[in-house]
Amino acid sequence: MTSTAARQTGDRQPQFLVAWSDGHGAARAASGFRRVFGQAPEGVWAAPGRVNLIGEHTDYNGGISLPIALPHRTYLAAAVAPDDTARFASAQAEADEVWQAALVDINPGSVTGWGTYAAGVTWALRQRGVAAPALTGYVDSCVPFGAGLSSSAALEAACVLPSQDLRAVAGPPLDRTLLVAACIAAENQIAGAPTGGMDQAAALQSAAGCALIVDTGLNSIELVPFDLAGAGLELLVIDSRAEHAHASGEYGARRRTCEQAAEVLGVPNLRQIRPDQLEAALDDLRKSKAFGSAEAAEVAVRRVRHVVTEIGRAEDFIAALQEGRMDALGPLFDASHASLRDDYEVSAPGLDLAARSARQAGALGARMTGGGFGGSAIALVQAGQARHVAEAVDQAFTAAGFGPPVFLLADAAGPAERII
Ligand code: ADP
Ligand code: MG
């Protein structure tokens, strides 16, 4: 049946993106490497995408986020380059076209293209005194691009491990905190994309069966058990396939408002405002002349209310996980979505529809995840219900005239590692 006919009869099947096995991913990357570079790789490394459970737009406010690593991974087959020139090809970029740059030529602002994420980590490690070799590499991945599932950090993490493992003078593994810092520097300074550090920490410091508590205020990383199967639950990821329109300009605007509000309130960041101090803080913002108009002050009020309540929800979520109160999770998802939609204004029609239609189909809670303006939503569902919920969301998208979403089932998976 053609897809048009399926659409008309309403029996289109939701499209699930199943994670590759490590054997499959490694074989794909290694065979691409042989085809493009005419030799065998020295090894294959893999790093996961991630999805954030809760704590959105909190990282630049000294707050908490709670990502899990996905079973969906980016694979890199790699070898040491003969001439200190980074060369990368990717099954997801122009077919077999090689991105290349001599390491001496890589500096902030000097290179462009997807290879900046890959070669940027070598640059960043060298900046930190690590004698990382330039790499020849072939990338293949089942992490969707630009879906808020952090394909960029997966790529960086898949490249930072061989940079460490293939050092000329072998040494003990480097501290993963250093590797995370190198990946963040590569993305911020060489790829030129402003991000916090949640994505890179999830790719490199997560653990199977756990969520990662990324606390940017305390500058700490901790694990908390996140055993969905044990609780009879599943996490459905809904990639709305909507473009992140205006995402970077709006991101900058949200950040500036938060910084300005913190200044008005006399605190280093909004983490310092505890939930029981919120109303008083909002009154101070309303009275302040710093925003230029009453309307602008009211916008700041909404932004601050999101940040403070969202940090509170992340804390409540963690406490619920620690105490095994899994029934508390769904309502926190719902409240987070409403806050992101109404107060922070970073949702999008496709994300609202995904969350609403998932809930109507029986999801225990649903929210947009990631920076917003497109990307993905997540729904917490009873075990065995994911397909039913996906069908309902898929139909709602068709009825609204949106293109078909893509679904992923997310278990809390393990961190970046060497496969071969
Ligand atoms: P997200 O991290 O949410 O997927 P980003 O915009 O941060 O979205 O990163 C996506 C970019 O990362 C792509 O446009 C591309 O430049 C790069 N990238 C990620 N994965 C790959 C890959 N497998 N092959 C080539 N480039 C990739
Ligand atoms: Mg990214």
Side-chain angles (χ1 to χ4, degrees):
M1 191 185 287
T2 66
S3 60
T4 314
R7 197 168 299 196
Q8 279 161 359
T9 54
D11 59 356
R12 184 179 72 198
Q13 291 300 308
Q15 191 193 331
F16 271 83
L17 183 61
V18 178
W20 296 343
S21 71
D22 283 337
H24 180 68
R28 290 176 69 121
S31 82
F33 188 98
R34 279 190 212 93
R35 191 179 64 249
V36 174
F37 299 111
Q39 63 180 93
E42 291 180 54
V44 180
W45 291 258
R50 64 99 186 94
V51 69
N52 189 27
L53 296 175
I54 201 155
E56 217 64 80
H57 285 280
T58 54
D59 57 345
Y60 50 86
N61 288 299
I64 301 171
S65 50
L66 196 69
I68 57 169
L70 291 171
H72 301 71
R73 293 177 145 197
T74 292
Y75 295 84
L76 176 80
V80 174
D83 55 358
D84 212 37
T85 293
R87 288 185 187 79
F88 291 98
S90 167
Q92 283 73 48
E94 285 302 312
D96 292 355
E97 197 170 278
V98 177
W99 184 98
Q100 81 174 60
L103 253 293
V104 290
D105 294 334
I106 298 178
N107 286 297
S110 69
V111 280
T112 56
W114 72 269
T116 51
Y117 295 92
V121 297
T122 311
W123 171 86
L125 283 172
R126 289 186 184 184
Q127 291 276 307
R128 286 161 178 72
V130 178
L135 295 177
T136 305
Y138 187 90
V139 182
D140 206 345
S141 177
C142 63
V143 181
F145 262 40
L149 303 177
S150 203
S151 68
S152 58
L155 177 57
E156 291 147 20
C159 293
V160 84
L161 288 186
S163 303
Q164 156 189 285
D165 293 350
L166 301 179
R167 277 176 294 166
V169 182
L174 300 168
D175 193 308
R176 290 230 164 182
T177 316
L178 173 78
L179 302 184
V180 168
C183 289
I184 296 170
E187 180 145 353
N188 290 172
Q189 297 182 54
I190 303 299
T195 54
M198 164 178 48
D199 303 351
Q200 293 80 4
L204 284 156
Q205 295 179 291
S206 54
C210 290
L212 198 64
I213 306 172
V214 181
D215 188 322
T216 53
L218 298 179
N219 198 16
S220 69
I221 298 279
E222 270 179 66
L223 295 168
V224 61
F226 185 63
D227 178 13
L228 282 171
L233 298 171
E234 285 176 343
L235 189 71
L236 179 68
V237 180
I238 306 157
D239 170 7
S240 72
R241 311 300 298 157
E243 302 266 328
H244 291 240
H246 314 303
S248 57
E250 295 286 349
Y251 177 86
R254 296 297 179 284
R255 257 186 110 131
R256 280 192 300 280
T257 302
C258 290
E259 281 157 13
Q260 201 185 0
E263 211 179 299
V264 167
L265 297 171
V267 289
N269 59 49
L270 296 178
R271 173 74 174 278
Q272 311 309 316
I273 312 294
R274 304 307 300 158
D276 61 352
Q277 302 165 327
L278 178 60
E279 285 310 321
L282 299 184
D283 279 344
D284 288 347
L285 293 176
R286 285 191 186 99
K287 283 182 211 134
S288 168
K289 300 269 175 275
F291 300 99
S293 70
E295 292 75 31
E298 206 47 49
V299 169
V301 160
R302 293 207 306 277
R303 305 297 187 248
V304 170
R305 188 164 55 207
H306 165 72
V307 171
V308 173
T309 59
E310 182 75 357
I311 294 171
R313 282 185 289 273
E315 289 170 337
D316 291 350
F317 199 97
I318 293 163
L321 287 180
Q322 284 164 338
E323 292 156 20
R325 289 183 288 105
M326 304 299 269
D327 55 342
L329 306 183
L332 289 168
F333 272 13
D334 293 345
S336 172
H337 185 83
S339 177
L340 287 157
R341 182 192 58 208
D342 302 337
D343 276 347
Y344 221 60
E345 296 180 280
V346 293
S347 191
L351 298 175
D352 292 340
L353 181 62
R356 195 168 62 240
S357 56
R359 263 180 236 130
Q360 278 165 359
L364 305 168
R367 62 179 288 268
M368 57 155 280
T369 181
F373 303 106
S376 298
I378 49 178
L380 190 68
V381 302
Q382 300 282 8
Q385 288 297 301
R387 179 157 288 276
H388 164 72
V389 172
E391 278 167 8
V393 173
D394 193 67
Q395 279 165 19
F397 269 58
T398 304
F402 295 159
V406 173
F407 300 93
L408 289 73
L409 270 183
D411 274 330
E417 61 183 337
R418 187 172 192 162
I419 306 294
I420 295 175

